């Protein structure tokens, strides 16, 4: 009986909650660059949850392991010759940059993330630098920023301190649409009435040529609306029409319905040059640098003023549309 009493007394004296096993806990925190990880990384902390709150507190940490990041890839650049074309009207250089992800010491094609163009110009020692603009609020379809200035140190690159003019243009590619509408009598230039042929770029891409989008017209005086036919054709760069591509609209009178022009009947042609690079606002030319910047603009939605008496001439090879005055 004495033995049983001893056992019973011993059980009452033991607090089982104090010998219950604690759960192991871990947590991860960022490890800044320093002693443990030269380029930063993560610290994995572990220990027993002594206070059973389900969280590994600082005083409960018994071991720390580090997983360190590799060295950050270096930024690399390379320069390639840029032929005459869309990016550089007179050729130049393409300056490409990106991260050297494979640590090869060079910039591979797959590592290029940014390209700027340093373009030659028709003015000695004047360069332009063109940087693409990603689609966003200002340019929904993207565009480009053009910097221009004198290459003061003669290294063939336009540096930030040499820039004297900056212009942003937005891409606005749009298909050319045409329409024919009736012209009532006693309306110039058709006193007896007739039809008017209109064409323009569908800037809002709604498939309809709105009145505000029509920028070219021809009058078919005395020709009924039902007797007019329209045909579109492509215009390649050069050839005296467009510096870039364009679209031609041929209108002709077909009174007998054979889809061919009537002999001696009305014919007319409208030419619309593509103007994908558009600058909004007035533009004032005061120097040769300003004139060079205009070479990157196809359409000026504003007024153009030339206030440079020392310029012998102003040649604008790509500016095909000026919506304001000139």
């Amino acid at each position: 009986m004495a033995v049983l009493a001893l056992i019973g007394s011993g059980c009452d004296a033991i607090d089982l909650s104090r010998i219950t096993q604690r759960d192991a806990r871990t947590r991860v925190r960022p490890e800044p660059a320093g002693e443990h990880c030269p380029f930063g990384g993560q610290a994995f902390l572990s220990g027993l949850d002594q206070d059973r709150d389900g969280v590994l507190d600082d005083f409960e940490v018994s071991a720390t392991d580090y997983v360190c990041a590799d060295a950050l890839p270096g930024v690399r650049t390379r320069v390639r010759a840029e032929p005459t074309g869309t990016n550089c009207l007179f050729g130049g250089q393409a300056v490409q940059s990106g991260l050297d992800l494979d640590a090869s010491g060079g910039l591979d094609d797959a590592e290029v993330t940014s390209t700027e163009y340093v373009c030659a110009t028709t003015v000695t020692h004047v360069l332009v630098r063109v940087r693409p603009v990603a689609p966003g609020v200002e340019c929904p379809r993207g565009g480009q920023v053009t910097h221009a200035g004198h290459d003061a140190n003669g290294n063939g690159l336009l540096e930030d301190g040499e820039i004297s003019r900056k212009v942003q243009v937005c891409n606005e590619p749009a298909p050319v649409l045409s329409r024919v509408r009736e012209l009532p009598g006693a309306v110039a230039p058709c006193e007896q009435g007739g039809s008017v042929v209109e064409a323009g770029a569908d800037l809002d891409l709604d498939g309809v040529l709105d009145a505000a989008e029509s920028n070219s017209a021809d009058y078919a005086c005395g020709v009924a609306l039902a007797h007019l036919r329209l045909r579109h054709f492509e215009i390649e760069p050069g050839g005296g029409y467009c510096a870039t591509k364009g679209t031609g609209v041929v209108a002709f009178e077909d009174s007998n319905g054979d889809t061919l022009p009537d002999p001696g009947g009305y014919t007319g042609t409208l030419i619309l040059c593509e103007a994908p690079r558009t600058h909004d606002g007035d533009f004032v030319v005061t120097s040769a640098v300003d004139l060079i910047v205009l070479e990157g603009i196809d359409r000026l939605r504003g007024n153009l003023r030339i206030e440079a008496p020392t310029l012998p001439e102003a040649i604008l090879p790509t500016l095909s549309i000026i919506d304001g005055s000139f």
Side-chain angles (χ1 to χ4, degrees):
M1 296 299 293
V3 174
L4 291 176
L6 179 61
I7 294 175
S9 174
C11 289
D12 291 340
I14 297 174
D15 184 358
L16 295 179
S17 66
R18 292 183 177 275
I19 64 173
T20 302
Q21 182 176 355
R22 271 59 170 174
D23 293 331
R25 300 291 180 194
T26 60
R27 76 170 193 247
V28 181
R29 61 171 173 77
E31 180 67 19
E35 176 185 358
H36 300 294
C37 289
F39 302 101
Q42 291 181 316
F44 289 81
L45 295 80
S46 59
L48 297 178
D49 185 13
Q50 301 290 355
D51 57 7
R52 296 188 179 89
D53 64 352
V55 177
L56 183 66
D57 301 313
D58 289 343
F59 73 90
E60 296 169 334
V61 174
S62 60
T64 303
D65 295 309
Y66 299 95
V67 176
C68 298
D70 295 331
L72 295 176
V75 177
R76 298 286 184 266
T77 60
R78 70 182 188 186
V79 179
R80 296 287 186 269
E82 181 66 21
T84 299
T86 303
N87 297 319
C88 286
L89 190 61
F90 301 102
Q93 295 178 323
V95 182
Q96 302 172 330
S97 60
L99 296 177
D100 182 17
L101 299 176
D102 59 4
S104 66
L107 186 66
D108 302 323
D109 291 343
E111 296 171 333
V112 174
T113 57
S114 176
T115 302
E116 290 189 352
Y117 300 96
V118 179
C119 303
T121 70
T122 55
V123 180
T124 305
H125 302 308
V126 172
L127 298 176
V128 296
R129 191 173 75 193
V130 181
R131 175 176 56 83
V133 173
V137 176
E138 293 185 353
C139 293
R141 302 174 198 169
Q144 68 182 40
V145 172
T146 301
H147 300 86
H150 290 274
D151 182 19
N153 59 13
N155 66 351
L157 298 175
L158 184 64
E159 300 175 358
D160 291 345
E162 298 171 333
I163 295 172
S164 59
R165 189 67 189 261
K166 171 186 174 182
V167 173
Q168 176 170 295
V169 296
C170 297
N171 295 331
E172 294 188 1
V176 170
L177 301 180
S178 59
R179 68 178 184 179
V180 179
R181 59 183 177 86
E182 186 177 2
L183 196 66
V187 175
C190 300
E191 296 297 331
Q192 303 301 319
S195 303
V196 58
V197 181
E198 297 177 324
D202 183 19
L203 299 177
D204 58 8
L205 301 178
D206 65 350
V208 177
L209 183 65
D210 304 317
E213 296 171 332
S214 175
N215 59 18
S216 184
D218 195 46
Y219 295 90
C221 298
V223 179
L225 198 66
H227 293 166
L228 279 177
R229 301 286 182 267
L230 301 179
R231 291 178 182 171
H232 288 208
F233 63 94
E234 292 186 0
I235 297 176
E236 294 299 321
Y241 290 107
C242 299
T244 58
K245 289 185 178 181
T247 300
V249 179
V250 174
F252 58 88
E253 184 178 1
D254 174 24
S255 58
N256 59 12
D258 64 355
T259 70
L260 298 175
D262 289 349
Y266 161 80
T267 60
T269 302
L270 303 178
I271 302 295
L272 290 98
C273 300
E274 285 188 4
R277 296 173 298 183
T278 301
H279 174 68
D280 282 302
D282 297 341
F283 195 98
V284 180
V285 175
T286 61
S287 67
V289 172
D290 298 334
L291 197 62
I292 291 300
V293 170
L294 275 176
E295 293 180 354
I297 300 175
D298 299 314
R299 179 177 187 175
L300 178 63
R301 195 177 285 124
N303 301 316
L304 175 62
R305 300 200 313 273
I306 298 180
E307 301 176 358
T310 59
L311 286 178
E313 59 182 355
I315 300 176
L316 307 173
T318 63
L319 186 60
S320 56
I321 299 175
I322 301 176
D323 292 340
S325 62
F326 172 41

